[in-house]
Coordinates of all heavy atoms in Angstrom, one line a residue:
Chain C
F73 N -12.6 106.6 122.0 CA -11.8 106.8 123.3 C -11.5 108.3 123.5 O -11.4 109.1 122.6 CB -10.5 106.1 123.1 CG -10.6 104.6 123.2 CD1 -10.8 103.9 122.0 CD2 -10.3 104.0 124.4 CE1 -10.9 102.4 122.2 CE2 -10.4 102.6 124.5 CZ -10.7 101.8 123.4
C74 N -11.4 108.6 124.8 CA -11.1 110.0 125.3 C -10.3 109.7 126.6 O -10.7 109.0 127.4 CB -12.5 110.7 125.4 SG -12.2 112.4 125.9
S75 N -9.3 110.5 126.7 CA -8.5 110.5 127.9 C -8.6 111.9 128.6 O -9.0 112.9 127.9 CB -7.1 110.3 127.5 OG -6.5 111.3 126.9
L76 N -8.4 111.9 129.9 CA -8.2 113.0 130.7 C -6.8 113.1 131.2 O -6.4 112.2 132.0 CB -9.3 113.2 131.7 CG -9.2 114.4 132.6 CD1 -9.7 115.6 131.9 CD2 -10.2 114.3 133.9
Y77 N -6.1 114.2 131.1 CA -4.7 114.2 131.5 C -4.4 115.4 132.4 O -4.9 116.5 132.2 CB -3.8 114.3 130.2 CG -2.3 114.4 130.7 CD1 -1.6 113.2 131.0 CD2 -1.6 115.5 130.5 CE1 -0.2 113.2 131.3 CE2 -0.3 115.6 130.9 CZ 0.5 114.4 131.1 OH 1.8 114.5 131.5
I78 N -3.8 115.0 133.6 CA -3.4 116.0 134.6 C -1.8 116.0 134.5 O -1.3 115.0 134.8 CB -3.9 115.7 136.0 CG1 -5.5 115.7 136.0 CG2 -3.4 116.7 137.0 CD1 -6.0 115.0 137.2
G79 N -1.2 117.1 134.2 CA 0.3 117.1 134.1 C 0.9 117.0 135.4 O 2.0 116.4 135.6
S80 N 0.5 117.6 136.4 CA 1.2 117.7 137.7 C -0.1 117.8 138.8 O -0.6 118.8 139.0 CB 1.9 118.9 137.9 OG 2.6 119.0 139.1
A81 N -0.3 116.5 139.4 CA -1.4 116.5 140.3 C -1.2 117.2 141.5 O -0.1 117.1 142.2 CB -1.8 115.0 140.6
G82 N -2.2 117.9 142.0 CA -2.2 118.5 143.3 C -3.2 117.9 144.2 O -4.1 117.2 143.8
L83 N -3.2 118.2 145.5 CA -4.2 117.6 146.5 C -5.6 118.0 146.1 O -6.5 117.2 146.3 CB -3.9 118.1 147.9 CG -2.5 117.7 148.6 CD1 -2.4 118.3 149.8 CD2 -2.4 116.3 148.6
E84 N -5.8 119.2 145.5 CA -7.1 119.6 145.1 C -7.7 118.8 144.0 O -8.9 119.0 143.7 CB -7.1 121.0 144.8 CG -6.4 121.5 143.5 CD -4.9 121.6 143.6 OE1 -4.3 121.1 144.6 OE2 -4.3 122.2 142.6
Y85 N -6.9 118.0 143.2 CA -7.4 117.1 142.2 C -8.1 115.9 142.7 O -8.7 115.1 142.0 CB -6.4 116.8 141.2 CG -5.8 117.9 140.3 CD1 -4.8 118.7 140.8 CD2 -6.4 118.0 139.2 CE1 -4.3 119.7 140.0 CE2 -5.8 119.1 138.2 CZ -4.9 119.9 138.8 OH -4.4 120.9 137.9
S86 N -8.0 115.6 144.0 CA -8.7 114.3 144.5 C -10.2 114.5 144.3 O -10.7 115.5 144.8 CB -8.4 114.2 146.0 OG -6.9 113.8 146.2
A87 N -10.8 113.6 143.6 CA -12.2 113.7 143.2 C -12.6 112.5 142.5 O -11.7 111.6 142.2 CB -12.4 114.9 142.5
M88 N -13.9 112.4 142.2 CA -14.3 111.4 141.3 C -14.3 112.0 139.9 O -15.0 113.1 139.8 CB -15.7 110.9 141.7 CG -16.3 109.9 140.7 SD -15.6 108.3 140.9 CE -16.6 107.7 142.3
Y89 N -13.9 111.3 138.9 CA -13.9 111.8 137.5 C -14.8 111.0 136.7 O -14.7 109.8 136.6 CB -12.6 111.9 136.9 CG -11.7 113.0 137.6 CD1 -10.9 112.7 138.8 CD2 -11.6 114.3 137.0 CE1 -10.2 113.7 139.4 CE2 -10.9 115.2 137.6 CZ -10.2 115.0 138.9 OH -9.6 115.9 139.5
L90 N -15.8 111.7 136.1 CA -16.9 111.1 135.3 C -16.8 111.3 134.0 O -16.7 112.5 133.5 CB -18.3 111.5 135.9 CG -18.6 111.4 137.4 CD1 -19.9 112.1 137.8 CD2 -18.6 109.9 137.7
C91 N -16.8 110.4 133.1 CA -16.9 110.4 131.8 C -18.3 110.3 131.2 O -19.1 109.4 131.8 CB -16.0 109.4 131.1 SG -15.9 109.5 129.3
A92 N -18.7 110.9 130.1 CA -19.9 110.7 129.7 C -20.0 110.8 128.1 O -19.1 111.5 127.7 CB -21.1 111.7 130.3
S93 N -21.0 110.4 127.4 CA -21.0 110.6 126.0 C -22.5 110.7 125.5 O -23.4 110.4 126.3 CB -20.5 109.3 125.2 OG -21.2 108.2 125.4
S94 N -22.7 111.5 124.4 CA -24.0 111.7 123.9 C -23.9 111.9 122.4 O -22.8 112.2 121.8 CB -24.5 113.0 124.5 OG -24.0 114.2 124.0

Side-chain angles (χ1 to χ4, degrees):
Chain C
F73 287 85
C74 188
S75 67
L76 181 70
Y77 181 75
I78 301 167
S80 176
L83 296 175
E84 72 276 16
Y85 287 86
S86 290
M88 180 73 84
Y89 288 87
L90 304 173
C91 176
S93 70
S94 76

